[in-house]
Amino acid sequence: MELAGTIRQARKSISAARAAGKRIGLVPTMGALHAGHISLIEEATGRCDYVVVSIFVNPTQFGPSEDFDKYPRDVESDMNICRQSGANLIFSPSASQMYQKENITWVNVDKLTENLCGRFRPGHFRGVTTVCTKLFNIVQPDIAFFGQKDAQQAIVIKRMVADLNMPLQIVVCPTVREPDGLAVSSRNKYLSPEERKDALLLSQSFAECERLVKAGERNCKLLIGSMRKIIAQSSEAQIEYISIVDTETLADIDVIEGEALVALAVKIGSTRLIDNIIISYQPRSARRTRNEI
Ligand code: PAF
């Protein structure tokens, strides 16, 4: 496995791989790699011949009062994880490599960035889409891999790639969860043991939502209300949003028909966690027909 700290080094190694006819995969990360990233790297090694993992804590996607400075950084552990998961190259540029001068060129996806996290993190998605465009231009991957855990990010990136005719495929991999249901995240490191317990209320609220939908409930206000009740059991939990939205437009919906994305952002103490599931409602008649078949 190689390590490239500059764009020039990365391009040199990647173009040699491309010249050898290899299919290039990119797993963009901000480091502090965990089981979720490992699943992305493994998916990439399964589908591609040469896998690049970028590690860059991107300053432009953090708001002024967010955790850029304290975002977990662990280069040694990241390198071991990449090596063990079969990555071929780590691209780990400095901020001055990625943003050489004052940055005045941005990539912005409208509409899809207005709801959910976009409402609470102004400028966040502009930072993500801009840095991903840079990474796509530097690495020129055939496929880039993202996690479903950041559902809005994945949908926004897919749309950017389609709208700007970028020549790559986006693959979205399932959320990896701890055995007790907590979605794996770099920010879980911030949680105290007490907060870690409270964080389980998030996946419990999804389980309740799924149970109600299975029982025939489709009213989103009611479903969200029951999720709120579960999360409110923790005095440390501050709900930023719980939303049920269309899986393509990310607009709020009132009644579930077919598939919907249930997404939330909740602060446990000072740690902001996000998670989501996709639910689908099938009318009883359809369910019966399927069973009969
Ligand atoms: O999901 C992340 O870790 C980041 O948002 C990404 C895609 C690496 C861009 O900085």
Side-chain angles (χ1 to χ4, degrees):
M1 188 183 71
E2 277 183 279
L3 179 63
T6 65
I7 295 171
R8 185 200 285 259
Q9 279 174 318
R11 282 201 167 126
K12 200 169 159 207
S13 303
I14 298 163
S15 51
R18 192 174 300 106
K22 294 189 175 167
R23 191 172 174 68
I24 314 291
L26 169 66
V27 181
T29 81
M30 297 204 299
L33 303 182
H34 51 60
H37 297 113
I38 294 173
S39 78
L40 298 181
I41 300 171
E42 287 177 352
E43 186 68 26
T45 55
R47 292 183 186 233
C48 303
D49 312 304
Y50 187 88
V51 173
V52 182
V53 178
S54 64
I55 297 180
F56 179 62
V57 186
N58 173 35
T60 65
Q61 69 187 76
F62 288 82
S65 59
E66 292 184 353
D67 56 342
F68 175 69
D69 287 331
K70 72 165 193 164
Y71 195 82
R73 291 160 171 90
D74 191 345
V75 183
E76 275 304 301
S77 151
D78 289 349
M79 284 189 24
N80 285 333
I81 287 176
C82 286
R83 195 173 291 114
Q84 282 160 18
S85 315
N88 299 93
L89 174 74
I90 296 182
F91 173 48
S92 176
S94 62
S96 60
Q97 274 286 309
M98 291 299 277
Y99 296 99
Q100 288 168 44
K101 305 186 190 101
E102 179 199 3
N103 201 67
I104 55 169
T105 304
W106 300 99
V107 180
N108 211 24
V109 175
D110 291 343
K111 290 190 177 172
L112 297 179
T113 55
E114 285 163 12
N115 201 2
L116 307 177
C117 290
R119 268 170 58 211
F120 297 91
R121 302 188 72 188
H124 167 70
F125 286 110
R126 184 185 78 157
V128 170
T129 42
T130 300
V131 83
C132 285
T133 301
K134 284 169 172 281
L135 291 168
F136 295 166
N137 284 337
I138 294 163
V139 175
Q140 297 180 22
D142 295 284
I143 315 181
F145 297 82
F146 292 84
Q148 173 65 22
K149 157 96 179 5
D150 298 301
Q152 186 172 19
Q153 168 171 281
I155 289 168
V156 166
I157 299 274
K158 268 190 167 174
R159 184 58 186 258
M160 172 186 84
V161 164
D163 282 356
L164 297 182
N165 311 100
M166 293 178 168
L168 75 152
Q169 188 193 340
I170 300 297
V171 168
V172 181
C173 302
T175 302
V176 175
R177 295 183 182 277
E178 302 281 3
D180 59 10
L182 181 68
V184 172
S185 160
S186 305
R187 290 187 169 100
N188 291 353
K189 288 197 173 132
Y190 300 149
L191 297 169
S192 69
E194 245 347 275
E195 290 170 341
R196 170 72 181 67
K197 271 189 215 145
D198 287 356
L200 288 182
L201 293 169
L202 273 52
S203 49
Q204 284 168 17
S205 77
F206 285 128
E208 175 63 0
C209 178
E210 272 178 325
R211 189 189 67 77
L212 289 170
V213 173
K214 255 194 201 136
E217 186 54 67
R218 301 162 63 203
N219 180 310
C220 294
K221 221 182 209 171
L222 215 142
L223 292 166
I224 291 170
S226 65
M227 292 176 71
R228 280 188 173 272
K229 238 189 216 162
I230 290 176
I231 292 171
Q233 287 171 33
S234 159
S235 55
E236 286 303 305
Q238 269 176 274
I239 297 170
E240 200 169 81
Y241 68 81
I242 302 177
S243 302
I244 302 184
V245 299
D246 183 279
T247 50
E248 271 172 37
T249 64
L250 297 184
D252 288 323
I253 55 178
D254 296 328
V255 176
I256 298 175
E257 283 159 25
E259 278 204 336
L261 175 72
V262 187
L264 54 73
V266 175
K267 269 190 168 172
I268 306 283
S270 57
T271 305
R272 183 180 183 276
L273 300 175
I274 59 170
D275 198 354
N276 68 84
I277 54 164
I278 291 182
I279 43 168
S280 64
Y281 173 80
Q282 284 185 338
R284 270 182 196 286
S285 54
R287 277 183 260 167
R288 203 176 309 122
T289 317
R290 188 179 278 181
N291 289 342
E292 278 160 9
I293 293 167

